[in-house]
Structure formats: C-alpha cells, structure tokens
RNA sequence: GGGGGUGUAGCUCAGUCGGUAGAGCAACGGCCUUUUAAGCCGUAGGUCUUGGGUUCGAGUCCCAACGCCCUCACCA
C-alpha cells in the first residue's frame, strides 16, 4: 500500500502501475488509487490539490438566514453573492450541469455548477470526488424545485480526499469505527456534531454562571504524588528526572480546598479525572468533572448552585435541541408514511421516542425544563425534589436507618451481607450482628441497601441529603447527629449527577477520618493519608460548601445520549491489531 | 472476570436445509442543463475476523482465540 503513495509530489514521472498490480490490489487500495489519479490530474491542470487560505468565507447558516429574508421564488436567481467552502457530500452530475451538496461547520447548501458558466473550470468538476473540500463563489438563487442554491461562477479547489466517505444515506454506523475514526463520524453524521456543539455550549454556560458569581477558574495538578478526594484506583506513572512515581488525579478536591485556606474564596475547576476501574455506558477511564468550592456557604447553597447551573446548561442545549429533534422525527415519520406506509412510520416513531419528545417539547413551550433521556421525560424545572436519605431508605428499603438489627436483616435478605463478606475474602465473619459490625460497618450496609432499593426509583432530578457519616470522610457532621454528614447527591435517572458537602474544616476530625480510612480495609482503593492537607486545615479553612458535577453525565442527560462514549470525542479503545 | 449478541466488498446490509458469494451506495466506462439518496445502460470489486475440527463439500455446524456492543460483577 505504501508503494501506491507516490513519493514525488507531482504527477509527472510517476510510474504507471501494471495491470497485474492493479488486479492484485485490494478494493480499498483501488478506490484510493482512483482518487490519486484524480488528484494528479488536478496537478496537471495547474491546480494545487491541497489548496490554501481562503478569505471572507461565508458560513452557510448565515447565508441561509440572509437568503430567507429575500423570499426567493423557485427558479429565481438573486443579486446576492456568497463565498462558501466545505466538504462535498453528494454529487449529481447530468452532462453539462452538476449539483453538489456541500457541508460546512454550520450546515449544508447545494452548489449548482454548469459547464457554460464555469468554462475551463468545468474540468475540475470531472475530477471532483465525494469528500473533497472545495470553495466556491457565486450568486444565490433557488432551483425550480425551490432548493436554495449557490450558482457557482468560480471554484477553488481546497483539499483532495484520498479515501471515500461512508455510505451516503446511512453514514458511518459501525460503533467501533465511529469511535476510532471520530473525524469521519463527525463529518458524516451531523447529529454527532450537534452533541458536541451542545457539550461545548453546556460547559460555556456553566462557566459564565460561575464567573458571574465571582468564581475564579483555576487549574490544579493532574500529576499528584498522593492521590485523594475520592475512593477509586488511580493510574500510576513515573517522572524520570525526579525518579518518582506519580498518580494521575482521581479528583481535584484536596487541592481546591487548599485554595480556600489561601483565601481564594470562590474557585472552580473543570477537571479531567482518571480512574483505573471498569468501563461501562456511564464510566470512562478519563472523565470530566466540575468541582467548585465556596467559602462561607454550605450544602444548601450548593443545591441552589446545581439548580441554577443546570438551568443555564439546559437553556444552552436541550431547550433548542428538543424541539429541533422533534421536528426531525416528525419529518421522518411523514416521509415514511408516504414512502413505506403506516407500519414503518409507527415503528420509527416508537424507536425514536416520538411520544417522549412531544411531551418534552410541550413542556418547554410551557416554560418547563423538560428533556428526553432513554425514552423518559426528565423535568429539570426548579426547585428539584429534596429528600432525606433516611426517609428514602425507610420508604423504599423499609428500614429505619439507626435500627442496626433491621438493617442487618435487610442486608441479609438482599444478599448484600454475603456479597460483602465474600469480598472480604479469607476471613468471613460469623453471621452475628456484633461480629458483622466489627468487620462491616453499619453505614456500609445502609449504603448498599440504599443503592439496591432506592436509587433506581429516583428518575426525576432529586437531591438526596444527609448521608451516613461513615461513608463521608471529608464532610462535616450534622450538628445534632454525629452519625449524619451534611452531604447531598443530585440523582437523575438513577445516575449520580453531582455530589456536594458542607466541607469538613476541623483538622483533627479530618486526620482521624483519614486514619480510619487507611486502617479500614487495607484495600488499594482506600484513601491515602494526606498530611499536607491536614496541615493546610490547621492554618484554618473557612466554612465552605463544595460541589462536584459529572459533566459527561450531565451532557448525556441533556443530549439524550445513552452512552458516555457518545459525549466523549475520543473514548478509550483498545488499539486495533492489524 | 461471568452471561448474551455480533463480525460477509471501502460503506450499509442480505445469504433459506451445509452445495462453492449477493444487493444498494461508493468506484470505473457511456448517455444526460434543474437534480434532491438524481436516473438509465454496462464493468470491475471478496483471506466471509483468525486458527483448528466435522464433512465428499463449511459464510452456514462444532471448538478455541481476537475485536466490538449490551448486561452483570467491580467501581461510595
């Protein structure tokens, strides 16, 4: 294959391939060779197949808007001139007239090219392949079927594509290939670009919300000698000069709180975190988290921050995307009705969640913050539900949180106790409460029961607050109940969206919690004692509220993406062996 | 790691009971100045993921490996 790519940049003097060579080539190579020939023909015509800067290029969306205001009649050509550039997606040639569908970053517009108008440039059209990138100048008009068209009088060849695009109707479907060649996915499947436009808009909205409140955006280390701030296995790496092992951060939390000590009273970081754990539709080894800390606040303030931030994110994404998607689904349903009949249309409506989109779009019309995720309608309208952890546990789990016997019995019923003891390995404790209590904390059982019985009921955005203290080592205790921590999680669709505390700023309690954790199970996921963090607290950290929001998951919910890989541009893939 | 699914042309997919490989798109040649996934005529394109096995004969059945997807487990 290497030999097919001529080393000399000019066509002249390239050896022609023998017929036998052509026959022995793979299909893929033959397609590429054809395009190489076209490229070389362009060179022979004196055209650089890898063109250069093109100034004053109009964006297609802007040209469309301008044209709309002109009320162009079908068959009419206007005085309006435009210069456009983009990738050739479709090509329809009929003798001396050709139509191209060309796509730029904002949309697509039909180019009309005729031999009579283009003159000698018509020879370029013949050498044009799908996926080539071109620029064109001309006048705007509409064809007699009413299609907005740039009638081209000058073409600028910009880039030859040596590889063919995917199938023009279905696009790139193979999930593996979509992630591996995201660049193809992005230009071939416009809805993928929409998701990442929305992702950008969501992050932008969050950022301006926080900056508007006087927050400072900061950056803290990714390479950390001690990891902490979450319970997760880290990636390890090594610095050669210092001859030192380092960890990729699992969380920025402990660094950000050091900044509170330093007097940066409102800080946030949009941080890439790395956790060396299992992958799933909701977990990628690297993921993006927003963390923020606000001095003199507490977890109640953080609830407001979440609500406001998600509202802003919604405005920037789903508020426009949901009605647009509904319109697209309806159009497709109509097309199917006309072409394939009622049955096919119904099947498509079902599959594309037409009903949910209708409901959500209807909600938006009435000023509600409704979106669709996995066929469910989510309502982010403020205020969100606020439910006490213990109340939910009683309601769905049927146990009173302080009733150790009941909790233990429930854990056994659910098989949780057995699972946990299996995890402990060689030393299964006798099945008595006292013995269990010594090896498996009451709070751990409670937490497991909660996950098992409550979480999947929490579809609509809900703040679950006041968690068992034993599972919250960085959180301040409830003033009236030492077993309760001032923590909440924001949960939607059974998925943890955010996690917030009234921060623990007592250095002695913090040190003790670290010690307990380290002693705890001796498991590699356990936190490491961070002496410097305790030292920082000893200098005095103002009372504060802190919050973490999983950006990828928020984007999933707002863009109806069922897998985290659909909202990460280049999700981790095993390298392909050839 | 367990379970389920899947892998056929560059792309999207068929392939019946085991009988020797099919379509559409893309490509190539031809016709075509208003197309909309343009159309029409013609041509070419395959290590059926890989390796074993059963069989006269395997894309198809069996075993194993590999990739990907889903799911469970793990992951507060």
């Amino acid at each position: 294959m290497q030999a097919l790519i001529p080393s000399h940049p000019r066509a002249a003097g390239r050896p022609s391939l023998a017929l036998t060579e052509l026959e022995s080539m793979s299909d893929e190579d033959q397609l590429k060779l054809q395009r190489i020939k076209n490229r070389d023909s362009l060179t022979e015509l004196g055209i650089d197949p890898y063109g250069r800067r093109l100034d004053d290029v109009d964006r297609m969306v802007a040209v469309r808007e301008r044209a709309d205001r002109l009320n162009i009649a079908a068959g009419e050509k206007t005085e309006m001139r435009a210069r456009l550039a983009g990738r050739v997606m479709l090509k329809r040639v009929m003798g001396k007239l050709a139509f191209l569908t060309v796509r730029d970053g904002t949309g697509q517009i039909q180019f009309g090219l005729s031999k009579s108008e283009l003159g000698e440039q018509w020879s370029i059209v013949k050498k044009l392949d799908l996926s080539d990138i071109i620029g064109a100048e001309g006048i705007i008009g509409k064809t007699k079927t009413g299609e907005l068209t740039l009638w081209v009088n000058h073409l600028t060849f910009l880039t030859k594509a040596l590889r063919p695009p995917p199938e023009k109707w279905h696009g790139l479907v193979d999930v593996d290939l979509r992630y591996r060649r995201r660049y193809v996915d992005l230009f071939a499947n416009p809805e993928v670009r929409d998701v990442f436009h929305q992702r950008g808009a969501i992050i932008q909205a969050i950022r301006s919300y926080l900056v508007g409140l006087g927050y400072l955006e900061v950056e803290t280390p990714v390479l950390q000698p001690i990891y902490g701030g979450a319970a997760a296995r880290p990636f390890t790496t090594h610095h050669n000069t210092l001859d030192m092992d380092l960890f990729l951060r699992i969380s920025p939390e402990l660094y950000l709180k050091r900044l509170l000590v330093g007097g940066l009273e409102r800080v946030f970081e949009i941080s890439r975190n790395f956790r060396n754990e299992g992958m799933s539709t909701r977990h990628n080894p690297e993921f993006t988290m927003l963390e923020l800390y606000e001095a003199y606040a507490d977890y109640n303030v953080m609830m407001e921050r979440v609500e406001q931030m998600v509202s802003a994110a919604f405005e920037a994404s789903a508020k426009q995307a949901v009605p647009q998607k509904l319109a697209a689904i309806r159009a497709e349903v109509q097309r199917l009705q006309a072409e394939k009949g009622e049955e096919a249309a119904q099947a498509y409506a079902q599959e594309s969640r037409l009903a949910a989109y209708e409901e959500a779009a209807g909600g938006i019309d009435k000023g509600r913050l409704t979106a669709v995720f996995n066929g469910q309608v989510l309502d982010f309208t403020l205020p969100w539900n606020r439910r006490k952890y213990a109340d939910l546990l009683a309601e769905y789990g049927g146990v009173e949180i302080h009733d150790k016997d009941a909790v233990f019995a429930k854990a056994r019923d659910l098989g949780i106790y057995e699972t946990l003891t299996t995890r402990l390995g060689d030393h299964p404790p006798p099945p008595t409460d006292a013995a269990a209590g010594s090896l498996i904390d009451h709070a751990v059982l409670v937490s497991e029961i909660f996950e098992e019985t409550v979480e999947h009921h929490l579809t609509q955005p809900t703040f679950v607050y006041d968690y068992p203290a034993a599972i919250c080592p960085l959180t301040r205790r409830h003033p009236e109940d030492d077993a309760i921590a001032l923590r909440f999680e924001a949960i939607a669709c059974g998925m943890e969206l955010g996690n917030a505390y009234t921060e623990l700023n007592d250095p002695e309690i913090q040190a003790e919690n670290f010690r307990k954790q380290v002693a705890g199970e001796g498991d590699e996921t356990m936190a490491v004692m961070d002496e410097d963090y305790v030292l920082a607290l000893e200098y005095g950290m103002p009372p504060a509220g802190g919050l973490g929001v999983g950006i990828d998951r928020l984007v999933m919910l707002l863009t109806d993406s069922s897998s985290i890989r659909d909202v990460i541009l280049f999700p981790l893939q095993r390298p392909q062996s050839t």
Side-chain angles (χ1 to χ4, degrees):
Chain A
M1 195 154 102
Q2 204 63 13
L4 285 179
I5 305 167
S7 55
H8 198 277
R10 286 178 188 274
R14 271 196 197 111
S16 59
L17 287 134
L19 191 66
T20 49
E21 226 172 321
L22 191 92
E23 279 169 348
S24 68
M25 270 190 302
S26 71
D27 193 18
E28 191 172 11
D29 286 342
Q30 288 184 36
L31 291 171
K32 190 166 157 186
L33 180 68
Q34 192 55 48
R35 283 165 177 264
I36 287 172
K37 282 181 178 164
N38 284 341
R39 179 192 67 185
D40 294 345
S41 304
L42 288 171
T43 308
E44 279 162 17
L45 290 168
I47 293 160
D48 185 349
Y50 301 102
R52 53 196 65 182
R53 168 172 170 169
L54 189 63
D55 290 325
D56 303 320
V57 176
D58 297 307
R59 311 217 83 187
M60 289 181 184
V61 67
V63 166
R64 244 176 220 293
E65 279 167 14
R66 265 200 291 158
D68 276 351
R69 290 198 293 273
L70 295 178
N71 285 319
I72 308 166
E76 187 190 346
K77 289 183 183 176
T78 67
E79 303 278 286
M80 176 181 159
R81 295 198 63 81
R83 177 182 290 172
L84 296 171
R87 192 183 291 272
V88 178
M89 304 306 294
L90 299 171
K91 188 180 171 196
R92 298 174 289 278
V93 186
M94 46 224 78
K96 303 185 184 75
L97 178 72
F99 291 102
L100 307 179
T101 301
V102 181
R103 183 178 293 171
D104 77 358
T106 69
Q108 56 185 35
I109 280 184
Q110 172 168 276
F111 288 9
L113 307 116
S114 68
K115 186 175 183 183
S116 55
E117 187 63 37
L118 281 177
E120 64 178 24
Q121 280 206 309
W122 182 250
S123 51
I124 298 177
V125 178
K126 292 191 192 154
K127 300 299 169 191
L128 212 52
D129 289 306
L130 290 183
S131 229
D132 287 352
I133 296 170
I134 57 171
E137 273 182 82
I139 58 166
I140 292 295
K142 278 190 180 173
T143 59
K144 66 185 184 189
T145 52
E147 179 78 16
L148 186 68
T149 300
L150 178 75
W151 290 104
V152 176
N153 40 45
H154 188 261
L155 262 182
T156 310
F157 195 88
L158 294 174
T159 302
K160 169 56 70 181
L162 296 185
R163 287 185 186 267
E167 212 260 359
K168 66 187 179 186
W169 185 244
H170 300 90
L172 188 61
V173 171
D174 184 285
V175 178
D176 185 35
L177 261 189
R178 284 187 44 221
Y179 298 146
R180 285 186 197 284
R181 302 192 186 163
R182 185 67 100 176
Y183 38 89
V184 178
D185 190 31
L186 283 164
F187 76 69
N189 302 329
E191 65 283 1
V192 175
R193 282 213 294 229
D194 286 348
V195 167
F196 290 101
H197 272 120
Q198 287 189 69
R199 183 180 174 122
I202 286 166
I203 291 173
Q204 192 54 49
I206 288 173
R207 195 171 254 139
S208 25
Y209 167 72
L210 290 173
V211 169
L213 285 175
Y215 273 83
L216 176 69
E217 181 166 9
V218 297
E219 290 156 286
T220 61
V222 172
L223 296 175
Q224 305 182 347
I226 297 175
Y227 62 95
R233 272 185 284 175
F235 287 90
T236 58
T237 185
H238 186 82
H239 188 273
N240 290 338
T241 304
L242 294 177
D243 189 21
M244 176 173 75
D245 286 333
L246 289 163
F247 303 100
L248 301 190
R249 71 174 161 206
I250 58 173
S251 153
E253 173 159 356
L254 300 181
Y255 281 97
L256 290 172
K257 286 198 279 196
R258 284 174 170 95
L259 300 180
L260 289 178
V261 173
L264 302 180
E265 294 176 334
R266 293 185 173 198
V267 290
F268 76 95
E269 178 166 14
I270 293 171
S271 102
R272 191 76 63 89
N273 298 334
F274 307 86
R275 297 189 181 174
N276 204 343
E277 285 165 0
M279 296 164 69
S280 77
T281 47
R282 294 169 176 201
H283 302 263
N284 196 61
E286 56 178 302
F287 65 100
T288 303
M289 176 108 135
L290 164 73
E291 287 213 10
L292 60 89
Y293 292 86
E294 180 173 332
Y296 320 122
D298 66 2
Y299 74 151
N300 290 304
V301 175
M302 292 300 109
M303 288 190 202
E304 287 171 41
R305 299 284 179 258
V306 173
E307 286 176 331
Q308 295 295 332
M309 210 153 46
V310 172
S311 298
F314 182 91
E315 294 280 326
S317 58
K319 191 175 182 181
Q320 293 84 43
V322 167
Q324 276 169 21
K325 182 132 182 212
L326 176 62
I329 294 170
R330 281 181 170 155
E332 181 65 8
V333 168
Q334 278 200 338
R335 194 190 67 84
L336 286 170
Q337 264 169 349
E339 288 177 20
K340 304 218 168 143
E342 192 59 34
E343 203 172 312
Q346 286 302 321
Y348 176 79
Q350 186 97 25
E351 177 200 339
S352 59
R353 319 284 200 186
L354 175 62
Y357 273 95
E358 277 172 342
E359 189 184 334
I364 290 171
D365 279 344
K366 296 189 195 94
R368 300 194 71 81
L369 311 185
T370 40
V372 178
F373 179 70
N374 278 351
Q376 288 173 309
V377 176
L378 290 185
D379 192 340
F380 294 98
T381 310
L382 312 194
W384 294 6
N385 291 329
R386 287 161 162 74
R387 299 296 309 275
K388 208 173 244 176
Y389 188 95
D391 293 349
L392 287 168
L393 190 73
E395 184 176 334
Y396 294 109
V399 289
E400 207 283 311
I401 193 165
H402 293 302
D403 186 341
K404 291 202 173 188
D405 293 340
V407 166
F408 184 72
K410 184 74 183 177
R412 298 209 67 176
D413 283 353
L414 291 170
I416 289 168
Y417 176 77
E418 284 69 19
T419 311
L420 288 176
T421 49
T422 312
R423 252 186 254 164
L424 284 178
D426 299 338
H427 311 288
T432 65
D433 295 6
S438 67
L439 279 162
I440 300 172
D441 196 282
H442 172 70
V444 173
L445 291 180
V446 166
S447 168
E448 294 284 335
I449 293 170
F450 187 90
E451 278 174 29
E452 191 84 12
T453 61
V454 182
E455 269 186 0
H456 64 274
H457 290 288
L458 303 176
T459 302
Q460 294 303 327
T462 303
F463 292 119
V464 179
Y465 66 98
D466 289 357
Y467 274 65
I471 57 171
C472 311
L474 299 162
T475 312
R476 190 178 183 119
R477 301 295 180 254
H478 196 289
E480 281 152 32
D481 185 348
D482 212 38
I484 296 294
L486 299 173
R487 167 183 176 183
F488 73 79
E489 284 194 6
I491 296 176
C493 281
M495 185 157 76
E496 180 193 336
L497 243 195
N499 185 11
Y501 324 135
T502 297
E503 299 298 336
L504 174 58
N505 63 347
D506 180 327
E508 290 180 351
I509 297 177
Q510 184 63 76
E512 179 57 24
N513 287 351
F514 275 149
R515 269 194 291 277
K516 276 190 202 155
Q517 263 199 304
V518 173
E521 292 176 22
D523 174 313
E524 62 184 316
T525 66
M526 290 317 289
V528 178
M529 171 61 78
D530 191 335
E531 302 278 3
D532 181 74
Y533 178 66
V534 174
L535 178 69
L537 292 189
E538 286 174 356
Y539 278 96
M541 182 179 93
L547 167 68
V549 174
I551 294 293
D552 310 282
R553 289 176 175 183
L554 179 60
V555 175
M556 286 170 68
L557 290 179
L558 291 174
T559 60
D560 194 10
S561 302
S562 57
S563 168
I564 198 168
R565 287 179 218 107
D566 290 328
V567 300
I568 292 174
L569 280 167
F570 297 100
L572 186 65
Q573 299 273 135
R574 196 174 255 113
Q576 204 146 41
S577 55
T578 36

